[in-house]
Amino acid sequence: DIVMTQSPDSLAVSLGERATINCKSSQTVLYTSNNNNYLAWYQQKPGQPPKLLIYWASTRESGVPDRFSGSGSGTDFTLTISSLQAEDVAVYYCQQYYITPPTFGQGTKVEIK
Amino acid sequence: EVQLVESGGGLIQPGGSLRLSCAASGFTVSSNYMSWVRQAPGKGLEWVSIIHSGGSTYYADSVKGRFTISRDHSKNTLYLQMNSLRTEDTAVYYCARGGVDAALAFAFDYWGQGTLVTVSS
């Protein structure tokens, strides 16, 4: 199985400031035949199911605010919230869907400083 | 509007069986790749099983041989039959929709609210 490791486990950011979450996979999730990274990001607020934010490592899901962006390739990826809003308080997960079983990172909790 | 509504969770003794249901609306279950994903209390996300639009099924090693995923086209409903339940199966179980295209089978764009399964004596 591909192991997904996120850092940090938690972070506190002031409103309006940038939040950055890192995700590293134990092997590449880049499929060279189509040059796509099989990497998604989810947001989970307390008591709610996860919500898809980004897929193909950098493609924003419809309706997701443009302050959320994804980057990276191969084994190293980043989710950036450019200007943290109060409603962004949540746990964020990266997930690879390159091979079965799909696997998730352990989650990063984002709070307001 | 796409909706997924799970039901069937509850308290069950170790070794028991339970069947979860996920009623879908706004799309056709058999047209998409559909998965079950679980989350133990206070823990992260774990994929459990998938049924392909073509009918093929796959399972996490932790549930293989004990759980069975299926669907009913006429009811537009996804199921998870869980047998030989263990305490470590305690979790909120979500049904999740993957893409129509195989490349996005495991990119889950819609999730249900989840149903809690508690395995305890």
Side-chain angles (χ1 to χ4, degrees):
Chain A
D1 296 5
I2 296 179
V3 177
M4 307 299 291
T5 304
Q6 293 181 226
S7 62
D9 289 333
S10 65
L11 75 162
V13 176
S14 300
L15 288 171
E17 296 300 305
R18 179 184 301 261
T20 300
I21 301 169
N22 300 302
C23 174
K24 189 174 184 66
S25 57
S26 61
Q27 63 186 79
T28 186
V29 298
L30 171 64
Y31 187 40
T32 53
S33 295
N34 59 18
N35 203 36
N36 279 334
N37 286 283
Y38 285 56
L39 191 284
W41 288 97
Y42 298 86
Q43 173 194 65
Q44 187 177 31
K45 297 180 180 180
Q48 295 186 20
K51 173 187 175 182
L52 177 65
L53 295 177
I54 290 185
Y55 57 99
W56 298 135
S58 60
T59 301
R60 209 176 295 115
E61 174 73 341
S62 176
V64 173
D66 59 8
R67 63 179 180 273
F68 291 93
S69 64
S71 62
S73 184
T75 61
D76 293 280
F77 300 91
T78 299
L79 176 70
T80 301
I81 309 173
S82 60
S83 176
L84 192 74
Q85 305 299 303
E87 60 265 33
D88 301 334
V89 168
V91 177
Y92 293 83
Y93 295 93
C94 63
Q95 176 222 353
Q96 66 81 19
Y97 51 97
Y98 183 62
I99 61 169
T100 305
T103 47
F104 296 86
Q106 81 276 18
T108 295
K109 187 174 186 179
V110 174
E111 300 172 306
I112 304 296
K113 186 187 292 184
Chain B
E1 180 192 6
V2 171
Q3 281 196 324
L4 297 167
V5 179
E6 301 96 336
S7 60
L11 175 63
I12 187 78
Q13 290 189 337
S17 297
L18 215 53
R19 189 178 81 155
L20 306 183
S21 300
C22 172
S25 58
F27 75 103
T28 302
V29 160
S30 55
S31 296
N32 284 71
Y33 291 77
M34 296 295 299
S35 281
W36 289 95
V37 178
R38 68 184 180 183
Q39 186 170 36
K43 302 297 185 183
L45 300 165
E46 179 188 18
W47 172 79
V48 172
S49 180
I50 188 170
I51 184 164
H52 288 195
S53 51
S56 301
T57 58
Y58 298 88
Y59 300 91
D61 287 345
S62 57
V63 307
K64 200 173 295 181
R66 302 187 297 124
F67 290 12
T68 303
I69 190 172
S70 63
R71 67 191 179 202
D72 185 324
H73 180 76
S74 66
K75 295 182 179 179
N76 208 29
T77 297
L78 180 72
Y79 301 100
L80 185 68
Q81 176 67 43
M82 305 186 295
N83 298 332
S84 303
L85 282 161
R86 306 167 180 167
T87 55
E88 56 263 37
D89 294 320
T90 294
V92 173
Y93 284 73
Y94 297 101
C95 65
R97 189 183 84 163
V100 173
D101 187 274
L104 288 170
F106 293 111
F108 307 123
D109 61 353
Y110 283 93
W111 299 62
Q113 286 297 313
T115 186
L116 176 62
V117 173
T118 303
V119 185
S120 175
S121 55

